Amino acid sequence: MFTVNENYLKLPGSYLFSTVGKKEREYRAANPDKKVIKLSIGDVTQPIAPAIIEAMHKAVDEMGTAEGFHGYAPDLGYEFLRSAIAKSDYKARGVDIDIDEIFVSDGAKSDSANIQEILGPDNIIAVGDPVYPVYVDSNAMAGRTGEYDSASGMWNKVIYMPCLEENGFAPKLPEKTPDVIYLCFPNNPTGATITKDELQKWVDYANEKKALIIYDAAYEAYISEENVAHTIYECDGAKTCAIELKSFSKNAGFTGVRLGYTVVPKELKSGDVALNPLWARRHGTKYNGAPYIIQRAGEAVYSEAGKAELKKQVAYYMNNAKVIKEGLASAGYSVSGGVNAPYIWLKTLNGMTSWEFFDYLLNEVSVVGTPGSGFGPSGEGYFRLTAFGTYENTVEAIDRLKKLI
């Protein structure tokens, strides 16, 4: 008889955003007359920029000719896209990344889960708390997290690094030594970040402990402060301890198009074993590459027209973040984030749990957000709102929330 991966049986409930979506659908069905405003999942609402659409149309036309047709993409991605990435995302910031260290994929979410396939099963992981759920869930599926305690909301083999108000919602170096450290800056869900000097401490720590940092930089385009690193490779020694994940979803609106990339430096080794060829082997075996049309769209992100158009889109969402943060703060809510990331992290009202507050907002003002406890035990009592809605809906949602104070 075949057997199943019993690690899946240890997972509590369903995926966070699946639960949020189910509750939203049930409410809509029961209240068809209500206008529901969704500020929960980090999905963009602005259309793809004209320069990118033009590139996609051109690529579609190419695919309809014998000369321009493209089948399977190269394992690592087309050279035209990897060269654009290396030039704009790294060389422009004084960082040398070889194109053979860049692996094009369908997004940072997939890579954040898949990357641990090249790591040993006994690695101890450390995560910020609260944290993007995929980091923990994917390691739980692989059997690295031990047993789940429903009372505490923790896995007994995971090192949790509390991200609390008193430390600016940023993790401190862990007391117990991990093998793999997941960092996300600017952070999802709290919107917090750290200075380049503080990030350097993590790099130094990882090199000292021979630990690996998996660095999720999906929200890099939203950084507004000068002293925040746009890539971990701005830090000295990062190439020997860090893998970086990047996404086109939030900077270019590719949530429905799907494109991202991962950087695995050639200097990064476990003992004498380099990780770059291991990831190349995994990539080539299990992935047939993002479509040619989509990679041409990604290339257009780095065109002068693309950069200008996307700068306006980022500004649009960050204006929404300002509306949310300032509006809620003026009404008496305790809020943070919204400066270097399109997320606002707020305390629930009247001592409500995160899920109680979710239900309260949905039933009282028809606004959907995300319960902080879904991101980890330290998220209890907090709530995440996203700035990715339309401006008009964002303003209306905040007006509704102000009435609850």
Side-chain angles (χ1 to χ4, degrees), residues 92-106:
R93 301 193 182 282
V95 176
D96 287 324
I97 294 293
D98 189 86
I99 66 169
D100 290 338
E101 297 173 311
I102 298 169
F103 298 80
V104 176
S105 71
D106 63 352

Side-chain angles (χ1 to χ4, degrees), residues 101-124:
E101 297 173 311
I102 298 169
F103 298 80
V104 176
S105 71
D106 63 352
K109 178 180 181 179
S110 298
D111 284 353
S112 68
N114 294 333
I115 195 68
Q116 40 93 10
E117 287 190 24
I118 65 171
L119 305 176
D122 297 326
N123 281 304
I124 300 298

Side-chain angles (χ1 to χ4, degrees), residues 95 161 171-174 178-179 181-183 185 194-216 229-244 265 267-268:
V95 176
M161 303 179 292
K172 295 180 179 180
L173 296 174
D179 301 303
I181 304 165
Y182 283 81
L183 294 179
F185 292 118
I194 58 176
T195 65
K196 181 179 175 181
D197 289 341
E198 288 299 312
L199 184 57
Q200 183 67 58
K201 293 178 183 178
W202 283 94
V203 170
D204 294 342
Y205 172 86
N207 278 317
E208 176 191 348
K209 303 296 185 180
K210 300 188 185 304
L212 170 68
I213 294 175
I214 297 178
Y215 191 76
D216 188 344
H230 286 257
T231 166
I232 195 171
Y233 302 119
E234 291 181 42
C235 296
D236 295 335
K239 289 184 181 180
T240 58
C241 70
I243 290 172
E244 184 162 271
E267 297 100 311
L268 180 57

Side-chain angles (χ1 to χ4, degrees), residues 12 129 136 147-156 160 373 375-378:
D129 174 29
V136 176
E147 300 299 324
Y148 181 75
D149 178 20
S150 58
S152 66
M154 294 182 175
W155 297 86
N156 67 350
Y160 290 88
S373 60
F375 298 100
S378 290

Side-chain angles (χ1 to χ4, degrees), residues 77-384:
Y78 285 101
E79 185 173 335
F80 61 75
L81 177 56
R82 290 184 290 127
S83 294
I85 291 168
K87 178 182 177 181
S88 296
D89 287 350
Y90 295 101
K91 283 186 172 57
R93 301 193 182 282
V95 176
D96 287 324
I97 294 293
D98 189 86
I99 66 169
D100 290 338
E101 297 173 311
I102 298 169
F103 298 80
V104 176
S105 71
D106 63 352
K109 178 180 181 179
S110 298
D111 284 353
S112 68
N114 294 333
I115 195 68
Q116 40 93 10
E117 287 190 24
I118 65 171
L119 305 176
D122 297 326
N123 281 304
I124 300 298
I125 68 165
V127 296
D129 174 29
V131 68
Y132 182 46
V134 173
Y135 309 154
V136 176
D137 287 2
S138 60
N139 276 281
M141 292 170 179
R144 286 194 189 87
T145 55
E147 300 299 324
Y148 181 75
D149 178 20
S150 58
S152 66
M154 294 182 175
W155 297 86
N156 67 350
K157 287 188 178 181
V158 174
I159 298 173
Y160 290 88
M161 303 179 292
C163 301
L164 308 173
E165 185 175 4
E166 53 264 35
N167 58 7
F169 298 105
K172 295 180 179 180
L173 296 174
E175 295 181 5
K176 183 179 178 182
T177 303
D179 301 303
V180 180
I181 304 165
Y182 283 81
L183 294 179
C184 176
F185 292 118
N187 185 259
N188 177 16
T190 66
T193 193
I194 58 176
T195 65
K196 181 179 175 181
D197 289 341
E198 288 299 312
L199 184 57
Q200 183 67 58
K201 293 178 183 178
W202 283 94
V203 170
D204 294 342
Y205 172 86
N207 278 317
E208 176 191 348
K209 303 296 185 180
K210 300 188 185 304
L212 170 68
I213 294 175
I214 297 178
Y215 191 76
D216 188 344
Y219 299 92
E220 168 272 326
Y222 293 85
I223 293 172
S224 63
E225 296 178 320
E226 292 294 328
N227 61 345
V228 178
H230 286 257
T231 166
I232 195 171
Y233 302 119
E234 291 181 42
C235 296
D236 295 335
K239 289 184 181 180
T240 58
C241 70
I243 290 172
E244 184 162 271
L245 313 176
K246 287 285 191 77
S247 169
F248 288 79
S249 289
K250 304 308 192 292
N251 69 324
F254 279 29
T255 53
V257 175
R258 307 309 306 154
L259 189 67
Y261 68 87
T262 289
V263 176
V264 184
K266 294 174 183 176
E267 297 100 311
L268 180 57
K269 296 181 178 180
S270 172
D272 295 327
V273 180
L275 269 63
N276 180 282
L278 295 185
W279 185 240
R281 183 67 167 87
R282 190 268 173 203
H283 214 61
T285 301
K286 291 193 171 186
Y287 186 62
N288 270 332
Y292 171 74
I293 296 165
I294 305 305
Q295 294 199 45
R296 280 297 185 191
E299 180 189 30
V301 167
Y302 299 104
S303 68
E304 290 306 312
K307 289 178 182 178
E309 291 163 1
L310 295 181
K311 185 176 180 180
K312 292 180 181 178
Q313 284 198 358
V314 167
Y316 178 93
Y317 292 129
M318 289 310 291
N319 183 59
N320 284 351
K322 182 179 179 182
V323 167
I324 297 171
K325 185 173 184 178
E326 293 184 355
L328 293 181
S330 68
Y333 286 85
S334 175
V335 295
S336 60
V339 177
N340 294 295
Y343 293 121
I344 286 76
W345 191 241
L346 64 143
K347 283 186 178 180
T348 62
L349 295 177
N350 303 321
M352 294 184 197
T353 68
S354 297
W355 280 107
E356 286 172 348
F357 192 61
F358 174 91
D359 291 333
Y360 180 64
L361 292 191
L362 186 58
N363 292 311
E364 294 295 322
V365 293
S366 302
V367 172
V368 185
T370 308
S373 60
F375 298 100
S378 290
E380 183 57 88
Y382 288 89
F383 204 73
R384 191 193 77 174

